[in-house]
Amino acid sequence: MEETIKLVYGDGGKYTNELIKEIIYKCFNNVILTSGIDSAVFSVKHGKAAFTTDSFVVKPLFFPGGDIGKLAICGTINDLSVSGAKPIYLSCSFIIEEGFPTKAFELIVKSMAEQCKKSNVKVVTGDTKVVEKGGVDGIFINTSGVGTIEKNYEIKPIESGDRIIVSGNIGEHGTTIALERYKIKVKGDFKSDCASVYKITSMIKEYYPFIKIMKDPTRGGIATIINELSSIAGLSVKLTDGSIPISREIEGINKILGLDPLYMACEGRLVLVVKSNMADEVLQKMKKLEQCRNAKIIGVFTDEQYPMAYIENSFGGKRILNTLDQQMLPRIC
Amino acid sequence: MEETIKLVYGDGGKYTNELIKEIIYKCFNNVILTSGIDSAVFSVKHGKAAFTTDSFVVKPLFFPGGDIGKLAICGTINDLSVSGAKPIYLSCSFIIEEGFPTKAFELIVKSMAEQCKKSNVKVVTGDTKVVEKGGVDGIFINTSGVGTIEKNYEIKPIESGDRIIVSGNIGEHGTTIALERYKIKVKGDFKSDCASVYKITSMIKEYYPFIKIMKDPTRGGIATIINELSSIAGLSVKLTDGSIPISREIEGINKILGLDPLYMACEGRLVLVVKSNMADEVLQKMKKLEQCRNAKIIGVFTDEQYPMAYIENSFGGKRILNTLDQQMLPRIC
């Protein structure tokens, strides 16, 4: 292998095969993939399946807590998880810039393979394209995924009184990317929350009849998801000031930078809307998982006259959470 | 909608929703997609499924006979088809450069929708990312797909005597892209063969027990596929000079440009390896389809001492078809 990725590595011939065999097959080692046919073929059982896709263009490629590869695997796992599916098979398609360091490519693929192993999913089919220098900024990755719906999960109408739970501290991925992108040196242990949420959705399966909707708050953060939910429900969402789990460091640095952590992406958190009388029980169940130790009920749906999302402070003052109409930070995922 | 795609169209908020609703949902109008959840959810029957992925980076985006959108739909349909699957659901993920003309984006999505309708497949899940100017060259598209294996198709060992069939004229996509890329003005009706091959693989289903392998000769063209087959089989492949279907125009222009049409990509052709005594019958069956009117048996596997792929002329002279070790033309698909 050459030290950098050459254009010929993407021509579908000898060098593409070399790249595939020396790096990709070595990392994603499973018979469905390495059989080398044009599609992955596998058995399915009668039932329901889920299918999703995501392209990842995050910048920088490596950041505290993860890299584009881990993000791509977790992102697709999470889209399947919040649809009530058990993630099983993933595809992986690379678009690489000519001259990209082969070592960095290998690190990314290794990181993907590690996350797959952890999450018990397999990359079973893929594609590699190489474009000329300047045609793409480094490397972009698409991961699509299929999973099975194990227990019927259905999105249900949201009612006044329904509670919103968030599974952990917010704003960590977005803040970390911002600090890395703009090379802001600060003290503190900032890292992305990038992780699979499947263990959480799987743990609370028995409560699916009481869960109205599950979401992962990525681009646009918690505030965007809350607005989306308010709009779907046609109801207001009241968040209580101080109830939203956030680390002091993330809160502090966002204040200094003039950013709002409510709009900063999470990449390993889950937002749930739960029937009012079951919210506490669901929360307690979640908290058995280490990754949910900071989980909290953050808000409630109310049938006020003009549906909107807002935070109420202890004096009754309201801060409206607007829909973002200017992107805070592009290429967050 | 603005005249060009803005960065905010990719932030997952209000503008992304506008883009999705005004263009994507309007074109790919089906309930699985427009339900707007994070994954497409659908029923599956007990059996075998196929899953594949491909990213498309073709340049130029529009060319005679197609565009990046049509190519993306056909490419994924074809990967499923040559695996013996019936293509059913596709995903579609866009990475768009800031400033890309909205009209052009709409044309591409419309073209995808048209091809989906023609091919009876549905785009059921998707993703849209926008990156800053210079981050990507125009637009790249990933399509992944799932299909069902209707009739058992298995890759079988290739034996000496097995025949190779190609479903139509070769080299048309690659040649068309080369002419467009380098703005070579020539007389003649050059256009890409970009098309779905599913009708062909479906038509010959009854012959699957006699079909050893099916392939679509994209990057690297017929010559690359023939070499791959020779290497899989551990046998030589003898092609007969003059037996390979090619239009006079494609042959002529490649001669003038000093290119070899055998290495030029096809995007709507099928290569089959068929048991010797069934090859004629399969060919006749295929020829009932208009898109196979030029289909031919182009070669035979032989157990010569040193396995290689070659063309024999009428005087017994051999021209060896080497594996390509330099890319003839990048960004062909």
Side-chain angles (χ1 to χ4, degrees), chain A residues 2-67:
Chain A
E2 308 255 357
E3 270 181 32
T4 61
I5 304 289
K6 310 288 175 199
L7 266 181
V8 286
Y9 284 70
D11 72 355
K14 199 158 83 176
Y15 292 97
T16 308
N17 284 335
E18 197 181 313
L19 186 74
I20 289 174
K21 283 187 184 147
E22 305 248 319
I23 298 181
I24 298 176
Y25 282 4
K26 266 195 191 154
C27 293
F28 302 138
N29 193 5
N30 66 77
V31 285
I32 305 178
L33 177 70
T34 57
S35 73
I37 62 165
D38 298 85
S39 308
V41 175
F42 43 80
S43 297
V44 287
K45 281 184 194 156
H46 184 84
K48 274 185 173 173
F51 176 34
T52 193
T53 190
D54 247 323
S55 286
F56 294 85
V57 299
V58 67
K59 188 177 183 171
L61 297 172
F62 298 89
F63 46 83
D67 56 74

Side-chain angles (χ1 to χ4, degrees), chain A residues 7-8 10-15 36-57 59 79-80 82-83 89-95 124-132 134-137 140 142 144-146 149 155 214-216 219-220 224 323-327 330-331 333, chain B residues 7-8 10-15 36-57 59 79-80 82-83 89-95 124-132 134-137 140 142 144-146 149 155 214-216 219-220 224 323-327 330-331 333:
Chain A
L7 266 181
V8 286
D11 72 355
K14 199 158 83 176
Y15 292 97
I37 62 165
D38 298 85
S39 308
V41 175
F42 43 80
S43 297
V44 287
K45 281 184 194 156
H46 184 84
K48 274 185 173 173
F51 176 34
T52 193
T53 190
D54 247 323
S55 286
F56 294 85
V57 299
K59 188 177 183 171
D79 276 349
L80 290 170
V82 297
S83 306
Y89 295 124
L90 303 188
S91 70
C92 168
S93 177
F94 300 104
I95 302 174
V124 291
T125 188
D127 180 44
T128 307
K129 294 285 191 308
V130 182
V131 298
E132 76 287 355
V136 68
D137 184 14
F140 292 167
N142 176 281
S144 300
V146 293
I149 305 280
I155 296 176
M214 304 195 279
K215 283 278 180 190
D216 60 328
R219 286 180 284 184
T224 299
T323 312
L324 203 61
D325 63 0
Q326 254 201 317
Q327 193 169 41
R331 295 182 63 181
C333 60
Chain B
L7 267 181
V8 285
D11 72 354
K14 198 159 81 174
Y15 292 98
I37 63 166
D38 298 86
S39 308
V41 175
F42 43 80
S43 296
V44 288
K45 281 185 194 155
H46 184 86
K48 274 185 172 172
F51 177 33
T52 193
T53 191
D54 245 322
S55 286
F56 294 85
V57 299
K59 189 177 183 173
D79 276 348
L80 291 169
V82 298
S83 306
Y89 295 125
L90 303 187
S91 70
C92 167
S93 177
F94 300 103
I95 303 173
V124 291
T125 187
D127 180 45
T128 306
K129 294 286 191 309
V130 181
V131 298
E132 76 288 356
V136 68
D137 184 13
F140 292 167
N142 176 280
S144 299
V146 292
I149 305 280
I155 296 177
M214 304 194 279
K215 283 277 179 191
D216 60 327
R219 285 181 285 185
T224 298
T323 313
L324 202 62
D325 62 359
Q326 252 201 318
Q327 194 169 39
R331 294 182 64 181
C333 59

Side-chain angles (χ1 to χ4, degrees), chain A residues 151-152 156 204-212 275:
Chain A
K151 191 175 161 111
N152 228 13
K156 292 171 273 297
I204 56 176
K205 251 188 299 193
E206 56 182 303
Y207 296 105
Y208 280 179
F210 312 105
I211 294 173
K212 306 294 183 82
K275 209 171 151 55

